[in-house]
Amino acid sequence: MSTPAQRPISAFVFDAYGTLFDVHAAVRRHAGDLGPEAQRLSAIWREKQLEYSWTRALMGRYLDFWVLTEQALDTAMSIVGVSDAALRGRLLEAYWKLDCYQEVPSVLKKLKDGGHRLAILSNGSPAMLEAAVAAAGIGDLLDEVFSVDMLKTYKTSQDVYEIVTNHFRIYPEAVSFQSSNRWDIAGATAFGFRSVWINRTGAADEYADLPPVAVLNDLQGLLTLA
Protein backbone atom coordinates (compact mmCIF):
# COMPACT_ATOMS: atom_id res chain seq x y z
CA MET A 1 0.00 0.00 0.00
CA SER A 2 1.33 3.45 -0.89
CA THR A 3 2.04 5.98 1.85
CA PRO A 4 0.49 9.47 1.70
CA ALA A 5 3.74 10.97 0.36
CA GLN A 6 3.76 8.38 -2.43
CA ARG A 7 0.17 8.81 -3.55
CA PRO A 8 -0.10 10.36 -7.00
CA ILE A 9 -1.54 13.84 -7.34
CA SER A 10 -5.18 13.55 -8.34
CA ALA A 11 -6.15 17.22 -8.35
CA PHE A 12 -4.41 20.56 -8.63
CA VAL A 13 -6.31 23.19 -6.66
CA PHE A 14 -5.54 26.90 -6.88
CA ASP A 15 -6.20 29.91 -4.77
CA ALA A 16 -7.49 32.66 -7.06
CA TYR A 17 -6.41 36.14 -6.01
CA GLY A 18 -2.67 36.64 -6.16
CA THR A 19 -2.14 33.11 -7.45
CA LEU A 20 -4.04 33.04 -10.74
CA PHE A 21 -5.23 36.67 -10.88
CA ASP A 22 -3.13 39.78 -10.26
CA VAL A 23 -4.81 41.67 -7.39
CA HIS A 24 -2.90 44.85 -8.23
CA ALA A 25 -4.09 44.99 -11.83
CA ALA A 26 -7.16 47.10 -10.99
CA VAL A 27 -5.12 49.94 -9.51
CA ARG A 28 -2.48 49.65 -12.21
CA ARG A 29 -5.12 50.37 -14.86
CA HIS A 30 -5.94 53.64 -13.14
CA ALA A 31 -2.52 54.54 -11.80
CA GLY A 32 -2.52 57.78 -13.78
CA ASP A 33 -5.59 58.97 -11.89
CA LEU A 34 -4.06 58.09 -8.53
CA GLY A 35 -0.59 59.48 -9.09
CA PRO A 36 2.22 58.67 -6.63
CA GLU A 37 -0.18 57.05 -4.14
CA ALA A 38 -1.23 54.28 -6.55
CA GLN A 39 1.10 51.56 -5.31
CA ARG A 40 0.47 52.38 -1.65
CA LEU A 41 -3.29 52.37 -2.15
CA SER A 42 -3.15 48.99 -3.90
CA ALA A 43 -1.10 47.47 -1.08
CA ILE A 44 -3.44 48.79 1.62
CA TRP A 45 -6.50 47.66 -0.33
CA ARG A 46 -5.20 44.10 -0.43
CA GLU A 47 -4.04 44.13 3.20
CA LYS A 48 -7.41 45.33 4.47
CA GLN A 49 -9.34 42.93 2.22
CA LEU A 50 -7.52 40.00 3.85
CA GLU A 51 -7.65 41.47 7.34
CA TYR A 52 -11.41 41.87 7.12
CA SER A 53 -11.82 38.25 6.02
CA TRP A 54 -9.84 36.99 9.02
CA THR A 55 -11.63 39.18 11.56
CA ARG A 56 -15.04 38.33 10.13
CA ALA A 57 -14.27 34.61 10.27
CA LEU A 58 -13.11 34.85 13.89
CA MET A 59 -16.20 36.82 14.89
CA GLY A 60 -18.55 34.54 13.01
CA ARG A 61 -20.01 37.61 11.29
CA TYR A 62 -19.72 36.72 7.62
CA LEU A 63 -20.00 39.21 4.81
CA ASP A 64 -19.21 38.06 1.30
CA PHE A 65 -15.85 38.89 -0.23
CA TRP A 66 -17.19 41.53 -2.58
CA VAL A 67 -18.54 43.55 0.35
CA LEU A 68 -15.16 43.21 2.08
CA THR A 69 -13.43 44.31 -1.14
CA GLU A 70 -15.57 47.45 -1.25
CA GLN A 71 -14.97 48.19 2.43
CA ALA A 72 -11.22 47.63 2.04
CA LEU A 73 -11.05 50.05 -0.88
CA ASP A 74 -12.92 52.70 1.09
CA THR A 75 -10.42 52.33 3.92
CA ALA A 76 -7.44 52.45 1.56
CA MET A 77 -8.73 55.58 -0.17
CA SER A 78 -9.30 57.25 3.17
CA ILE A 79 -5.80 56.40 4.40
CA VAL A 80 -4.06 57.78 1.31
CA GLY A 81 -6.34 60.79 1.15
CA VAL A 82 -8.18 60.10 -2.10
CA SER A 83 -11.83 61.12 -2.30
CA ASP A 84 -13.28 60.50 -5.75
CA ALA A 85 -16.53 58.55 -6.10
CA ALA A 86 -16.13 58.12 -9.86
CA LEU A 87 -12.60 56.74 -9.47
CA ARG A 88 -13.82 54.40 -6.74
CA GLY A 89 -16.39 53.04 -9.16
CA ARG A 90 -13.79 52.51 -11.88
CA LEU A 91 -11.45 50.67 -9.51
CA LEU A 92 -14.21 48.36 -8.36
CA GLU A 93 -15.30 47.70 -11.94
CA ALA A 94 -11.71 46.82 -12.86
CA TYR A 95 -11.55 44.33 -9.99
CA TRP A 96 -14.18 42.19 -11.70
CA LYS A 97 -11.82 41.60 -14.63
CA LEU A 98 -8.36 41.26 -13.12
CA ASP A 99 -5.51 40.18 -15.39
CA CYS A 100 -4.40 36.60 -14.95
CA TYR A 101 -0.67 35.96 -14.80
CA GLN A 102 0.91 35.25 -18.16
CA GLU A 103 1.71 31.58 -17.59
CA VAL A 104 -1.65 30.60 -16.13
CA PRO A 105 -3.56 29.46 -19.26
CA SER A 106 -0.72 27.37 -20.67
CA VAL A 107 0.14 25.70 -17.35
CA LEU A 108 -3.50 24.85 -16.64
CA LYS A 109 -3.89 23.40 -20.12
CA LYS A 110 -0.83 21.18 -19.75
CA LEU A 111 -1.99 19.93 -16.34
CA LYS A 112 -5.44 19.27 -17.75
CA ASP A 113 -4.02 17.45 -20.75
CA GLY A 114 -2.05 15.33 -18.29
CA GLY A 115 -5.30 13.96 -16.89
CA HIS A 116 -5.46 15.98 -13.67
CA ARG A 117 -8.56 17.53 -12.21
CA LEU A 118 -8.27 21.29 -11.75
CA ALA A 119 -10.16 23.56 -9.39
CA ILE A 120 -10.15 26.94 -7.71
CA LEU A 121 -10.69 27.24 -3.96
CA SER A 122 -11.11 30.89 -3.06
CA ASN A 123 -12.39 33.42 -0.57
CA GLY A 124 -13.97 35.19 -3.53
CA SER A 125 -17.73 35.30 -3.91
CA PRO A 126 -19.25 33.11 -6.65
CA ALA A 127 -20.03 36.14 -8.82
CA MET A 128 -16.50 37.52 -8.48
CA LEU A 129 -14.94 34.20 -9.40
CA GLU A 130 -17.26 33.65 -12.34
CA ALA A 131 -16.33 37.07 -13.74
CA ALA A 132 -12.59 36.59 -13.20
CA VAL A 133 -12.54 33.13 -14.76
CA ALA A 134 -14.53 34.35 -17.77
CA ALA A 135 -12.28 37.38 -18.26
CA ALA A 136 -9.20 35.14 -18.19
CA GLY A 137 -10.76 32.62 -20.59
CA ILE A 138 -9.87 29.62 -18.41
CA GLY A 139 -13.31 28.29 -17.60
CA ASP A 140 -13.04 25.27 -19.91
CA LEU A 141 -9.86 24.18 -18.11
CA LEU A 142 -11.43 24.02 -14.66
CA ASP A 143 -13.47 21.14 -13.28
CA GLU A 144 -14.80 23.15 -10.35
CA VAL A 145 -14.70 26.65 -8.86
CA PHE A 146 -15.24 26.49 -5.11
CA SER A 147 -16.13 29.57 -3.07
CA VAL A 148 -16.07 29.78 0.71
CA ASP A 149 -19.48 31.40 0.39
CA MET A 150 -21.10 27.98 0.68
CA LEU A 151 -19.78 27.77 4.26
CA LYS A 152 -20.10 31.46 5.15
CA THR A 153 -16.58 31.64 6.55
CA TYR A 154 -13.05 32.18 5.26
CA LYS A 155 -9.66 30.52 5.01
CA THR A 156 -7.85 29.29 7.01
CA SER A 157 -10.84 27.44 8.48
CA GLN A 158 -10.10 23.77 7.99
CA ASP A 159 -13.68 23.26 6.84
CA VAL A 160 -12.88 25.34 3.75
CA TYR A 161 -10.15 22.98 2.56
CA GLU A 162 -12.44 20.03 3.23
CA ILE A 163 -14.75 21.30 0.47
CA VAL A 164 -12.25 19.88 -2.02
CA THR A 165 -11.80 16.43 -0.50
CA ASN A 166 -15.52 15.99 0.11
CA HIS A 167 -16.38 16.94 -3.46
CA PHE A 168 -13.74 14.86 -5.23
CA ARG A 169 -13.81 12.06 -2.62
CA ILE A 170 -10.03 11.95 -2.32
CA TYR A 171 -7.47 12.05 0.46
CA PRO A 172 -5.88 15.44 1.26
CA GLU A 173 -2.49 14.02 0.27
CA ALA A 174 -3.76 13.53 -3.29
CA VAL A 175 -4.29 17.30 -3.66
CA SER A 176 -1.61 19.72 -4.76
CA PHE A 177 -2.75 23.09 -3.44
CA GLN A 178 -1.21 26.29 -4.82
CA SER A 179 -1.39 29.73 -3.23
CA SER A 180 0.64 32.92 -3.29
CA ASN A 181 -0.38 33.58 0.32
CA ARG A 182 1.91 32.01 2.90
CA TRP A 183 -0.84 32.00 5.53
CA ASP A 184 -3.08 30.07 3.10
CA ILE A 185 -0.27 27.57 2.50
CA ALA A 186 0.03 27.11 6.25
CA GLY A 187 -3.70 26.42 6.56
CA ALA A 188 -3.70 24.00 3.65
CA THR A 189 -0.64 22.19 5.00
CA ALA A 190 -2.30 21.85 8.40
CA PHE A 191 -5.26 20.23 6.64
CA GLY A 192 -2.98 17.74 4.90
CA PHE A 193 -2.71 19.07 1.34
CA ARG A 194 0.57 18.97 -0.54
CA SER A 195 0.95 22.72 -0.55
CA VAL A 196 3.02 24.68 -3.05
CA TRP A 197 3.82 28.30 -2.26
CA ILE A 198 3.81 30.49 -5.38
CA ASN A 199 6.10 33.18 -4.02
CA ARG A 200 5.92 35.69 -6.86
CA THR A 201 7.30 38.60 -4.84
CA GLY A 202 10.19 36.91 -3.04
CA ALA A 203 8.51 37.34 0.34
CA ALA A 204 10.16 36.10 3.53
CA ASP A 205 9.03 32.69 4.75
CA GLU A 206 6.73 32.35 7.77
CA TYR A 207 5.02 29.53 9.67
CA ALA A 208 8.13 27.37 9.80
CA ASP A 209 6.22 24.54 11.47
CA LEU A 210 3.86 24.30 8.46
CA PRO A 211 6.17 24.23 5.43
CA PRO A 212 5.13 23.81 1.79
CA VAL A 213 6.41 20.89 -0.23
CA ALA A 214 7.82 23.36 -2.75
CA VAL A 215 8.35 27.09 -3.28
CA LEU A 216 8.04 28.38 -6.86
CA ASN A 217 8.38 31.78 -8.50
CA ASP A 218 5.36 31.08 -10.70
CA LEU A 219 3.18 28.20 -11.84
CA GLN A 220 5.57 26.84 -14.46
CA GLY A 221 7.35 24.69 -11.90
CA LEU A 222 4.17 22.71 -11.29
CA LEU A 223 4.75 20.87 -14.54
CA THR A 224 7.75 19.13 -13.00
CA LEU A 225 5.70 18.13 -9.94
CA ALA A 226 2.85 16.68 -11.99
Side-chain angles (χ1 to χ4, degrees):
M1 179 180 295
S2 62
T3 65
Q6 296 170 328
R7 289 190 183 119
I9 296 172
S10 176
F12 282 83
V13 179
F14 300 84
D15 173 56
Y17 297 106
T19 305
L20 299 179
F21 309 119
D22 185 353
V23 295
H24 300 295
V27 169
R28 205 162 44 241
R29 291 178 197 173
H30 299 285
D33 297 324
L34 288 162
E37 292 288 8
Q39 187 172 352
R40 181 170 173 244
L41 183 144
S42 193
I44 296 171
W45 188 4
R46 176 60 170 167
E47 289 167 6
K48 291 300 178 181
Q49 183 192 50
L50 294 175
E51 177 189 326
Y52 296 166
S53 73
W54 298 328
T55 54
R56 286 281 171 180
L58 287 168
M59 289 187 292
R61 299 291 294 273
Y62 178 81
L63 291 174
D64 82 39
F65 204 58
W66 181 245
V67 175
L68 302 190
T69 300
E70 292 179 306
Q71 292 178 348
L73 176 58
D74 290 339
T75 299
M77 293 181 71
S78 177
I79 289 172
V80 303
V82 174
S83 179
D84 185 330
L87 178 56
R88 177 187 185 272
R90 292 195 297 274
L91 289 168
L92 289 172
E93 177 64 25
Y95 209 93
W96 284 91
K97 298 179 180 180
L98 295 175
D99 299 332
C100 74
Y101 291 102
Q102 184 177 4
E103 82 280 5
V104 168
S106 63
V107 170
L108 294 186
K109 185 177 188 308
K110 288 174 182 176
L111 292 173
K112 186 73 171 177
D113 289 345
H116 298 286
R117 287 176 284 186
L118 306 182
I120 285 175
L121 177 65
S122 174
N123 280 344
S125 70
M128 290 175 71
L129 294 171
E130 181 180 359
V133 167
I138 58 173
D140 60 337
L141 299 174
L142 298 168
D143 294 284
E144 297 292 341
V145 178
F146 300 115
S147 168
V148 302
D149 190 67
M150 68 177 70
L151 298 181
K152 300 296 187 286
T153 191
Y154 288 103
K155 300 173 184 177
T156 55
S157 168
Q158 298 292 277
D159 291 344
V160 169
Y161 304 106
E162 194 173 25
I163 292 172
V164 173
T165 52
N166 283 347
H167 179 84
F168 288 128
R169 297 186 179 276
I170 54 178
Y171 289 105
E173 298 86 0
V175 175
S176 179
F177 178 79
Q178 289 63 234
S179 179
S180 64
N181 302 299
R182 185 61 179 89
W183 54 268
D184 193 10
I185 289 297
T189 299
F191 180 70
F193 285 161
R194 297 193 216 182
S195 302
V196 178
W197 183 23
I198 310 301
N199 187 7
R200 295 183 181 274
T201 62
D205 195 13
E206 302 177 273
Y207 309 102
D209 60 319
L210 294 165
V213 298
V215 181
L216 303 175
N217 294 326
D218 58 34
L219 298 182
Q220 286 286 355
L222 290 177
L223 300 177
T224 64
L225 299 179

